[in-house]
Amino acid sequence: MINLDGNIHERLRSPQRSLIVALPFRRDEYDRVDTVFGYRVQHLHTMGPTKGGIRYAPDVNFGEVAALAMLMTWKCAILELPFGGAKGGVRIDPTVLSRSEKQRLTRRYTMEIINFIGPEKDIPAPDMGTDEQVMAWLMDTYSTHVGHTEPAIVTGKPPSLGGSIARREATGRGLMSLLPAVASHVGMTVAGSRVAVQGFGNVGKYAAQGAAEMGCKVIAVSDITGAIYNDSGFDIPDLTRFVTETGGVRGYRHGDELDPGELLTLDCDVLVPAAVGGVINGDNAPAVRARIVLEGANGPTTTAADEVFRENGVVVVPDVLANAGGVTVSYFEWVQDLQNYFWSEAEIVARLRAIMNRSFSEVLDMAVREGTDLRTAALIKGISRVAEAKLARGIYP
Ligand code: NAD
């Protein structure tokens, strides 16, 4: 559709730089050492330093990390942030690690990739299975080795270390800030609409919170422990307290147990997949009853499901746009760290909303103009911007 230059297409198909490491770390039982695989992939350096999260999960692999790095390139280009895409991961189940094991693992992973990252080269952030604490250890390890404190090496840090306020909530909040515009596009009222959220981690929790604040009813929520349903809508702050105390949504007494797979096909208006990739596919997409799918997770909808949604008129706001609130506030955090000048929460939230909503309306205009769905329109914008920059820079030597 965009007549992409063949040479540029060829280059963009593969990541620019990839690093695979094997890293040993000591378990709490002193003599036990586990060796696991870690990855860091930088898809594109044309637009600036690379940016992307680090994921700890048992099934992380090189192909997945490379694909997610590419998604980050498009995401940053769609939002017009001065970064290329990157992603990292360690193939381990973080839920079986003690705090000290996770710390040793993180420090060793950081050491293995230390020459590959840097505030002007590649800036990591949290993703599935990692959090502010993991980012703090990464920043500390990097700073210790370069000999000075370097907050701009990583985003999603605790505010006491130069982290941005409102970064924690940014992805979920940014996602929900798009709902009024999407609802108006499909002729739906936001207040009173029924929302189902898969995944109650960083993204899902704040998306559910944002939905409740706009007057939606969050009728179903799931996580790795199970799924729960309440037709009148959950009290999200109360549910969040329960999850913090018990580690999952299962057993919450103000909801009925639900089969986790059924959450995706519930009678609802808005579906928010905010857990893992590939959950909505050709098999279950025909049964999805939501009118709007807001992709909190990366890659939750397969291409087969996308085709079904196009036919059924389900509007999908794609990951590269819908969950870009996280990288947008990460960009703010990096800028604040480089300048040593910190913004107020009101400034951050207002700038986040402005960037998200401007990008959404550009993508929607493109979709209407080209007669495509929002994902295709978003990718047209992102890939065209990258192609234009690559042509302007030319090839060295
Ligand atoms: P997280 O680790 O904080 O939370 C993940 C949640 O998903 C947990 O509640 C977990 O129990 C649940 N979960 C895992 N497997 C599940 C399954 N099979 N079914 C139902 N629930 C399941 O991770 P996160 O940071 O919230 O990231 C979630 C998704 O959002 C990922 O795809 C990530 O790449 C994407 N994302 C995150 C950010 C961010 O800022 N954190 C930004 C953009 C995209």
Side-chain angles (χ1 to χ4, degrees):
M1 290 180 79
I2 59 174
N3 292 320
L4 182 63
D5 180 302
N7 296 325
I8 291 182
H9 181 201
E10 194 63 26
R11 160 59 194 90
L12 294 176
R13 287 163 64 99
S14 311
Q16 186 165 346
R17 297 177 189 163
S18 310
L19 181 63
I20 304 181
V21 297
L23 54 116
F25 72 104
R26 222 176 260 290
R27 301 296 295 257
D28 289 339
E29 186 189 331
Y30 189 80
D31 289 334
R32 183 169 163 201
V33 173
D34 282 356
T35 295
V36 293
F37 287 109
Y39 311 89
R40 185 72 189 170
V41 175
Q42 301 163 355
H43 175 250
L44 179 81
H45 280 273
T46 307
M47 318 299 285
T50 52
K51 189 92 194 72
I54 290 172
R55 174 175 286 200
Y56 289 175
D59 51 357
V60 161
N61 59 69
F62 174 63
E64 177 186 81
V65 174
L68 291 168
M70 185 194 275
L71 276 185
M72 283 302 295
T73 294
W74 312 142
K75 196 180 294 185
C76 294
I78 293 161
L79 276 285
E80 300 183 10
L81 309 178
F83 298 124
K87 204 78 179 187
V90 179
R91 191 176 173 85
I92 192 154
D93 178 0
T95 61
V96 304
L97 300 178
S98 69
R99 182 184 158 88
S100 53
E101 287 170 337
K102 203 190 265 189
Q103 177 170 179
R104 286 194 291 275
L105 172 84
T106 301
R107 290 187 184 281
R108 183 59 190 246
Y109 171 66
T110 307
M111 269 319 294
E112 294 297 338
I113 65 167
I114 204 156
N115 293 321
F116 207 53
I117 57 174
E120 267 93 39
K121 277 199 262 184
D122 179 17
I123 307 119
D127 193 76
M128 256 171 60
T130 59
D131 55 14
E132 285 183 5
Q133 180 59 72
V134 171
M135 296 306 114
W137 290 326
L138 196 159
M139 177 262 196
D140 181 68
T141 307
Y142 185 89
S143 298
T144 305
H145 281 268
V146 296
H148 61 267
T149 295
E150 187 53 271
I153 179 59
V154 77
T155 58
K157 302 174 291 294
S160 58
L161 298 180
S164 181
I165 12 177
R167 169 62 183 90
R168 198 182 299 158
E169 309 88 329
T171 307
R173 201 180 238 172
L175 181 90
M176 274 303 150
S177 75
L178 296 182
L179 185 58
V182 194
S184 128
H185 172 61
V186 303
M188 192 187 95
T189 312
V190 172
S193 61
R194 292 154 62 83
V195 180
V197 182
Q198 182 191 51
F200 203 67
N202 178 282
V203 179
K205 200 173 0 182
Y206 292 109
Q209 181 62 35
E213 282 166 11
M214 284 192 285
C216 308
K217 284 200 284 186
V218 181
I219 56 162
V221 170
S222 72
D223 65 11
I224 199 75
T225 66
I228 51 171
Y229 178 83
N230 180 333
D231 199 53
S232 324
F234 288 108
D235 173 346
I236 302 299
D238 189 61
L239 175 60
T240 303
R241 269 191 299 278
F242 176 83
V243 171
T244 309
E245 278 163 23
T246 66
V249 300
R250 197 195 178 113
Y252 183 58
R253 67 190 169 93
H254 303 294
D256 300 322
E257 206 166 307
L258 178 76
D259 176 74
E262 265 178 47
L263 178 135
L264 300 169
T265 56
L266 274 182
D267 180 15
C268 65
D269 301 299
V270 183
L271 176 62
V272 182
V276 288
V279 290
I280 309 173
N281 48 47
D283 295 333
N284 60 7
V288 168
R289 285 186 276 175
R291 296 169 69 189
I292 296 171
V293 176
L294 291 178
E295 292 190 332
N298 284 312
T301 311
T302 65
T303 45
D306 253 343
E307 228 159 85
V308 174
F309 287 157
R310 267 195 295 273
E311 274 167 29
N312 294 355
V314 176
V315 173
V316 180
V317 185
D319 47 11
V320 282
L321 175 60
N323 70 27
V327 69
T328 303
V329 176
S330 272
Y331 165 57
F332 298 163
E333 181 172 331
W334 178 73
V335 169
Q336 292 172 81
D337 288 339
L338 291 177
Q339 299 185 340
N340 284 305
Y341 178 72
F342 292 88
W343 311 347
S344 71
E345 181 166 3
E347 280 173 288
I348 293 166
V349 173
R351 285 176 183 171
L352 169 65
R353 283 174 183 274
I355 292 183
M356 291 291 292
N357 281 281
R358 183 201 66 209
S359 304
F360 176 76
S361 91
E362 283 169 3
V363 167
L364 182 61
D365 288 350
M366 171 82 77
V368 171
R369 206 164 50 239
E370 300 286 338
T372 66
D373 59 10
L374 294 173
R375 191 186 314 279
T376 310
L379 290 174
I380 288 176
K381 182 176 178 212
I383 296 169
S384 304
R385 186 174 167 88
V386 169
E388 188 186 327
K390 285 199 88 58
L391 284 172
R393 280 186 66 156
I395 299 176
Y396 177 87

